[in-house]
């Protein structure tokens, strides 16, 4: 096995060097406004050397001496042949034959886009899309996106969780700048630890992801790219206030030290200190909290030597208090005087990325990633105490090159991960150390027109999970204009952190039991699953305006799963799967540019998620079978550098199955299923100038509220108390306002 890992790391092929041609490709298909064109093909006439543009329309292509004719093409656009006589950077505009050939929900810039050319089913979300909602942290960045489900805040911590393909966030590999970030101890609250203003763009990949980022991805991958000190505003401030008395402040300070070094200081603070009990159950509808989040980011760029380096230093201090209105932590902590909870988190992070592109051989590059973090959480929920400290080290070395020509690309490398856990839960100490060393190889083929394939393989050795192989395959075929048929298959493996991933269950009177004790992690075996998916994307013209439809189906089959069994209302049982467990997800999405600057996005999702419990095969609790989504956005014409922006999002969820409450006393029993629920969010933004804008919005404008979200709220120390039956909003309507000011 170790010899195979070494073979992976030594595989790179060395090729002869050439000069590089750089440039940007644009389209002018909407109101003659020039926009970067993502995914345009470029190829030298009479050769097989080519490439495609990125989300900003940029490309880098080896310069050849055998021809000076560069062919630029995109499905639905007129192909152009440009005469190139030197390696001077170029800018070129393609003319559409009918309409846009990229799926674009467009305002003045690309807000979200899917390429017809990539093998993976990836949605790119730009900063323009993130500004359509308050987007105070990463967990709130998906409100206007139908691919990610945002759950309602739970009844104690107030934290929103996300799902993809019917599976919760632990089955999603969540990274920042392709370094896994939301994992281990940060799984429960980590999304709320990344401020929205720090995010430049988000890439959402459905199904099996790339083997480069690790073996843990099962349902998909989410990668958040952070703003860069060299391109971010010199000064930026975002001030936010909500009717719930939630206040937030974000400030960015960026400085250019010299022509190669830039640095940025990013400050985030939020607070909520007013008690609310709209439903009169004696419990806070949302927690009291304070958060201080600081990041210092350094960037070094040396184009002559082909070097780009980022170094991040980060500190987080987060405090939450929840429980009964009369709870006083100074006198009532871990007593029966009043039910209360406190969650105090301290986190330190150091991360670095080094990228090197060989100036002599531009298709060869080397990337080095390193991250260290220490995450410490001290918390209690009523009489249940839970503490965890997680120290993590992640390192990755990636080599990129081509085989023969640019149609055949490879990535190969090695990575090492170290995780040390020290937990106190259910009155016991749990300690473990996980170490993994792995090698990967990924081959990509692109015929630069109809067919694209990415095949990857990982080989890992893990001190607790053993030695195993992780295969991943993605394919894309475009049989006709403005179409893309995709298929993917892949395997994922992970260790379940049963307490930190389910710590909301501590806010109940349930007794915790681990029924299997022969495994290596809490006595349980690792989770293993296969994910299969197909997707069809079709663009077309509707009444002279661009539109597109996406249909996709994904299935996740678990070979083993750590089952979280809540079917006895007085217990939570963890055990290895005995039988079948699967998640089927179908989504139909329709996007339409109704008229200039007005866009409509709708989606329907169907979930069939079932698991074999001790009591039988049942629908996964609190998972709606049907979801409807609709989003509209409109911008007025820009006059004197100012305009208006309007955005509205509607979500409807069908009924959801409750875990059984038959063992509770009659007054604490619930129906088998919840009610359906629909919510409406909206935001208006007034842009006064490129420097200054204000926004006003509302969440849950129709004031939908779940009645009695807490079971046995009148007797929180009784055997039936449980805060985990939330299927809808608790607080009701919430309105907010804010301002953004920036200096270039």
């Amino acid at each position: 096995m170790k010899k195979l890992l070494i073979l992976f790391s030594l595989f790179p092929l060395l090729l002869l060097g050439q000069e590089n041609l750089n440039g940007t490709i644009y389209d002018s298909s909407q109101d003659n406004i020039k926009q970067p064109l993502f995914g345009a093909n470029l190829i030298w006439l009479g050769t097989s050397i080519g490439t495609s543009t990125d989300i900003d329309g940029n490309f880098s292509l080896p310069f050849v001496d055998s021809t000076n004719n560069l062919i630029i093409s995109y499905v639905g656009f007129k192909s152009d042949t440009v005469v190139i006589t030197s390696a001077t950077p170029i800018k070129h505009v393609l003319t559409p034959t009918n309409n846009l050939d990229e799926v674009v929900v467009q305002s003045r810039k690309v807000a979200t886009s899917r390429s017809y050319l990539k093998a993976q089913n990836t949605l790119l979300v730009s900063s323009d899309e993130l500004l359509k909602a308050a987007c105070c942290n990463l967990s709130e960045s998906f409100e206007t996106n139908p691919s990610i489900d945002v759950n309602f805040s739970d009844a104690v911590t107030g934290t929103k969780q996300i799902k993809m393909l019917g599976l919760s966030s632990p089955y999603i590999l969540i990274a920042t700048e392709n370094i896994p970030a939301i994992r281990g101890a940060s799984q429960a609250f980590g999304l709320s630890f990344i401020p929205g203003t720090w995010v430049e763009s988000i890439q959402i990949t459905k199904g099996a992801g790339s083997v480069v980022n690790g073996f843990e991805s099962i349902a998909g991958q989410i990668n958040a790219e952070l703003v860069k000190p060299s391109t971010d505003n010199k000064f930026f401030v975002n001030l936010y206030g909500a009717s719930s008395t939630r206040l937030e402040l974000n400030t960015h300070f960026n400085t250019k030290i010299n022509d190669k070094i830039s640095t940025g200081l990013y400050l985030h603070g939020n607070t909520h200190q007013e008690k609310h009990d709209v439903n009169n159950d004696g419990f806070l509808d949302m927690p009291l909290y304070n958060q201080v989040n600081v990041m210092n980011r350094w960037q070094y760029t040396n184009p002559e030597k082909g070097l780009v380096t980022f170094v991040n230093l980060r500190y987080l201090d987060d405090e939450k208090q929840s429980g009964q209105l009369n709870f006083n932590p100074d006198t009532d902590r871990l007593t029966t005087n009043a039910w209360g909870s406190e969650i105090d988190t301290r986190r330190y992070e150091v991360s670095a990325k080094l990228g090197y592109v060989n100036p002599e051989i531009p298709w060869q590059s080397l990337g080095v990633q390193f991250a260290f973090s220490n995450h410490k959480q001290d918390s209690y929920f009523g009489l249940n105490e839970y503490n965890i400290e997680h120290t993590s080290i992640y390192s990755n070395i990636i080599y990129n090159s081509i085989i023969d020509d640019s149609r055949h690309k490879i990535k190969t490398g090695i990575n090492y991960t170290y995780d040390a856990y020290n937990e106190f839960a259910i009155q016991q100490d749990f300690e473990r150390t996980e170490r993994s060393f792995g090698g990967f190889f990924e081959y990509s083929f692109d015929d630069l027109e109809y067919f694209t394939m990415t095949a990857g393989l990982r080989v890992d050795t893990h001190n607790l999970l053993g030695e195993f192989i992780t295969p991943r395959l993605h394919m894309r075929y475009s049989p006709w204009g403005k179409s893309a048929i995709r298929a993917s298959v892949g395997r994922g493996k992970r260790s379940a952190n049963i307490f930190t991933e389910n710590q909301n269950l501590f806010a109940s009177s349930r007794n915790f039991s681990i029924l299997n004790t022969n495994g290596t992690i809490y006595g349980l075996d690792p989770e293993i699953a296969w994910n299969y998916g197909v997707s069809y994307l079709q663009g077309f013209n509707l009444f002279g305006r661009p539109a597109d439809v996406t249909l996709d189906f994904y299935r996740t089959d678990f070979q083993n799963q750590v089952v979280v069994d809540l079917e006895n209302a007085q217990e939570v049982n963890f055990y290895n799967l005995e039988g079948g467990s699967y998640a089927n997800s179908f989504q139909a999405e329709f996007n339409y540019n109704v008229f200039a600057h007005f866009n409509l996005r709708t989606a329907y999702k169907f979930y069939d998620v079932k698991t074999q419990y001790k009591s039988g095969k049942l629908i996964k609790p609190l998972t709606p079978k049907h979801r409807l989504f609709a989003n509209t956005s409109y911008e007025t014409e820009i006059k004197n550098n100012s305009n208006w922006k309007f955005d509205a999002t509607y979500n409807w969820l069908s009924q959801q199955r409750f875990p059984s409450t038959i063992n509770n006393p009659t007054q604490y029993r619930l129906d088998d299923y919840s009610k359906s629920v629909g919510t409406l969010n909206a935001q208006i933004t007034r842009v006064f100038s490129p420097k200054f804008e204000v926004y006003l919005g509302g969440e849950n404008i129709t004031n939908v509220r779940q009645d009695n979200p807490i079971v046995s709220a009148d007797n929180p120390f009784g055997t039936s108390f449980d805060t985990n039956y939330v299927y809808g909003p608790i607080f009701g309507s919430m309105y907010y306002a804010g301002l953004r000011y920036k200096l270039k």
Side-chain angles (χ1 to χ4, degrees):
M1 178 66 70
K2 292 183 179 179
K3 292 181 180 180
L4 188 56
L5 295 178
I6 295 173
L7 180 62
F8 273 133
S9 65
L10 297 179
F11 187 82
L13 302 174
L14 299 177
L15 301 172
L16 297 176
Q18 292 182 1
E19 199 172 2
N20 219 36
L21 175 68
N22 300 310
T24 307
I25 306 301
Y26 299 93
D27 81 75
S28 58
S29 59
Q30 288 235 351
D31 307 315
N32 294 317
I33 299 173
K34 192 166 66 172
Q35 302 291 342
L37 186 59
F38 167 57
N41 290 319
L42 300 99
I43 188 168
W44 292 107
L45 179 65
T47 76
S48 57
I49 298 175
T51 188
S52 58
T53 55
D54 62 19
I55 190 173
D56 297 314
N58 298 323
F59 72 90
S60 181
L61 180 68
F63 191 82
V64 299
D65 297 325
S66 60
T67 180
N68 60 358
N69 292 321
L70 179 66
I71 300 174
I72 307 173
S73 63
Y74 200 101
V75 181
F77 285 74
K78 296 178 181 178
S79 297
D80 287 341
T81 300
V82 181
V83 178
I84 305 295
T85 57
S86 68
T88 304
I90 69 168
K91 294 183 178 180
H92 187 78
V93 179
L94 287 181
T95 303
T97 54
N98 291 308
N99 57 283
L100 281 173
D101 180 49
E102 178 184 326
V103 178
V104 173
V105 180
Q106 173 138 8
S107 53
R108 300 307 166 97
K109 293 171 61 179
V110 174
T112 64
S113 61
R114 282 191 182 92
S115 171
Y116 287 98
L117 306 175
K118 304 298 182 182
Q120 294 182 336
N121 186 6
T122 299
L123 177 71
L124 298 175
V125 181
S126 74
S127 57
D128 275 30
E129 180 72 11
L130 301 179
L131 296 178
K132 290 182 178 181
C135 191
C136 296
N137 58 60
L138 192 59
S139 70
E140 299 168 320
S141 299
F142 305 103
E143 299 283 0
T144 62
N145 189 302
S147 296
I148 301 295
D149 300 323
V150 182
N151 289 358
F152 297 106
S153 303
D154 65 52
V156 173
T157 67
T159 303
K160 294 182 178 180
Q161 303 293 337
I162 64 171
K163 290 184 178 181
M164 181 188 290
L165 308 183
L167 297 173
S168 57
S169 58
Y171 298 107
I172 309 168
L173 193 155
I174 305 175
T176 56
E177 301 191 314
N178 289 310
I179 296 177
I182 312 299
R183 56 186 301 273
S186 65
Q187 189 63 250
F189 309 118
L191 287 171
S192 66
F193 296 160
I194 301 178
T197 64
W198 294 7
V199 178
E200 181 180 72
S201 64
I202 300 173
Q203 297 88 46
I204 302 170
T205 301
K206 286 187 174 183
S210 171
V211 295
V212 175
N213 301 115
F215 53 80
E216 295 179 326
S217 169
I218 291 177
Q221 295 185 180
I222 296 174
N223 178 57
E225 285 292 325
L226 305 182
V227 293
K228 312 297 189 290
S230 62
T231 56
D232 191 24
N233 300 293
K234 289 184 178 180
F235 174 72
F236 172 82
V237 61
N238 176 46
L239 181 62
Y240 167 97
S243 58
S244 61
T245 68
R246 172 182 177 179
L247 297 174
E248 299 209 5
L249 175 66
N250 292 278
T251 56
H252 302 181
F253 303 91
N254 292 285
T255 302
K256 187 175 182 180
I257 306 298
N258 54 43
D259 60 347
K260 294 182 176 64
I261 301 175
S262 300
T263 185
L265 181 64
Y266 305 87
L267 307 175
H268 169 85
N270 66 61
T271 184
H272 173 247
Q273 295 300 318
E274 184 171 328
K275 296 183 177 182
H276 301 278
D277 182 19
V278 178
N279 56 10
N280 297 312
D281 63 358
F283 277 76
L284 297 176
D285 294 331
M286 58 182 67
L288 311 178
Y289 54 78
N290 289 294
Q291 184 185 120
V292 176
N293 207 336
V294 182
M295 179 175 67
N296 181 210
R297 186 160 162 82
W298 292 81
Q299 179 179 355
Y300 172 80
T301 305
N302 189 330
E304 293 80 11
K305 294 185 178 180
L307 290 172
V308 177
T309 301
F310 292 94
V311 177
N312 299 334
L313 308 172
R314 187 177 167 208
Y315 170 74
L316 168 82
D317 188 327
D318 185 81
E319 299 177 347
K320 296 183 178 69
Q321 177 193 323
S322 57
Q324 291 182 293
L325 289 172
N326 60 344
F327 172 74
N328 183 343
D330 295 331
T331 58
D332 303 333
R333 182 182 187 274
L334 294 171
T335 73
T336 57
N337 297 336
W339 196 98
S341 170
E342 287 187 291
I343 305 172
D344 296 336
T345 304
R346 308 289 182 274
R347 183 177 176 89
Y348 305 86
E349 291 182 23
V350 179
S351 63
K353 292 177 61 178
L354 169 66
Y356 170 72
V357 178
N358 190 335
E360 302 297 326
I361 311 175
W363 55 78
Q364 288 184 358
S365 65
L366 181 71
V368 179
Q369 301 171 320
F370 174 83
F372 167 84
S373 65
N374 178 265
H375 183 111
K376 187 175 182 181
Q377 174 186 320
D378 297 316
S379 57
Y380 61 91
F381 304 81
L383 301 179
N384 292 322
E385 192 171 1
Y386 176 66
N387 303 318
I388 182 172
E389 183 172 6
H390 176 197
T391 300
S392 177
I393 296 174
Y394 174 86
S395 58
N396 203 17
I397 300 175
I398 310 167
Y399 179 82
N400 296 267
S401 188
I402 64 175
I403 302 174
D404 190 35
D405 59 57
S406 61
R407 294 175 303 168
H408 308 273
K409 299 178 182 179
I410 63 166
K411 291 182 181 180
T412 186
I414 57 175
N415 78 294
Y416 173 77
T417 304
Y418 169 89
D419 294 289
Y421 296 93
N422 188 349
E423 287 180 283
F424 178 80
I426 59 173
Q427 303 302 312
Q428 298 180 49
D429 289 315
F430 296 87
E431 294 185 21
R432 78 178 191 277
T433 299
E434 297 189 27
R435 295 181 297 273
S436 68
F437 178 73
F440 55 86
F441 177 79
E442 188 173 79
Y443 165 74
S444 298
F445 171 76
D446 187 350
D447 70 356
L448 303 179
E449 189 170 4
Y450 299 108
F451 180 72
T452 308
M453 179 189 72
T454 300
L457 184 70
R458 286 189 65 92
V459 180
D460 289 273
T461 178
H462 191 287
N463 64 314
L464 298 181
L465 306 186
E467 298 178 345
F468 54 95
I469 295 176
T470 304
R472 307 271 172 85
L473 176 65
H474 299 264
M475 294 183 293
R476 184 274 310 176
Y477 177 62
S478 296
W480 47 76
K482 297 167 60 179
S483 67
I485 299 173
R486 291 183 172 90
S488 67
V489 60
R491 183 178 187 264
K493 189 172 185 176
R494 64 181 296 272
S495 54
N497 293 283
I498 60 174
F499 295 121
T500 192
E501 293 170 7
N502 299 281
Q503 59 186 279
N504 56 296
L505 298 177
F506 288 120
S508 70
S509 295
R510 294 176 181 267
N511 294 315
F512 285 65
S513 297
I514 303 174
L515 302 186
N516 304 93
T517 57
N518 297 322
T520 56
I521 303 169
Y522 306 105
L524 300 167
D525 296 329
E527 296 189 300
I528 304 172
W530 284 87
N531 182 279
Y532 315 88
V534 292
S535 176
Y536 174 60
L537 167 64
Q538 180 66 59
F540 56 94
N541 246 13
L542 182 62
F543 303 115
R545 306 297 301 184
D548 63 81
V549 170
T550 304
L551 305 174
D552 62 46
F553 175 80
Y554 287 86
R555 178 179 176 89
T556 305
D557 270 316
F558 284 90
Q559 292 181 314
N560 184 59
Q561 186 177 25
V562 173
V563 178
V564 184
D565 192 338
L566 307 177
E567 297 310 309
N568 184 327
Q570 278 71 51
E571 298 178 356
V572 51
N573 294 309
F574 300 98
Y575 51 83
N576 292 321
L577 179 68
E578 298 177 0
S581 179
Y582 64 84
N584 291 327
S585 168
F586 169 78
Q587 178 172 326
E589 182 177 344
F590 171 69
N591 298 310
Y592 183 38
N593 177 232
V594 183
F595 53 84
H597 312 311
F598 182 85
N599 295 283
L600 171 67
R601 189 186 322 169
T602 61
Y604 164 74
K605 290 197 280 191
F606 170 81
Y607 291 131
D608 176 24
V609 185
K610 291 183 179 179
T611 300
Q612 183 68 46
Y613 296 95
K614 297 291 186 183
S615 54
K617 182 169 285 189
L618 302 172
I619 297 173
K620 189 173 179 63
L622 296 174
T623 301
K625 199 168 189 178
H626 308 278
R627 297 183 76 118
L628 294 176
F629 170 93
N631 173 266
T632 59
S633 62
Y634 174 68
E635 290 190 27
T636 62
E637 291 289 342
I638 298 176
K639 296 181 179 180
N640 299 320
N641 289 321
S642 64
N643 70 325
W644 290 88
K645 299 179 181 180
F646 304 88
D647 193 87
T649 303
Y650 178 76
N651 276 286
W652 178 84
L653 286 70
S654 67
Q655 61 181 10
Q656 306 171 49
R657 188 182 76 84
F658 284 137
S660 175
T661 55
I662 192 66
N663 293 335
N664 282 346
T666 303
Q667 67 271 30
Y668 299 136
R669 293 177 185 172
L670 302 178
D671 295 334
D672 293 337
Y673 285 86
S674 72
K675 299 177 181 178
S676 62
V677 60
T679 60
L680 177 65
N681 300 342
Q683 179 176 288
I684 301 173
T685 302
R686 172 60 173 171
V687 179
F688 291 96
S689 73
K691 295 182 179 180
F692 182 67
E693 62 187 57
V694 297
Y695 55 92
L696 174 69
E699 296 182 3
N700 188 21
I701 293 174
T702 51
N703 198 33
V704 175
R705 289 204 310 268
Q706 177 182 345
D707 296 328
N708 304 318
I710 299 177
V711 177
S712 186
D714 59 336
N715 185 19
F717 296 101
T719 58
S720 301
F721 176 72
D722 203 323
T723 67
N724 296 288
Y725 289 84
V726 177
Y727 67 88
I730 297 175
F731 182 72
S733 299
M734 191 274 290
Y735 297 93
Y736 61 85
L739 62 85
R740 303 184 185 101
Y741 179 77
K742 53 192 173 184
L743 290 177
K744 294 291 186 180

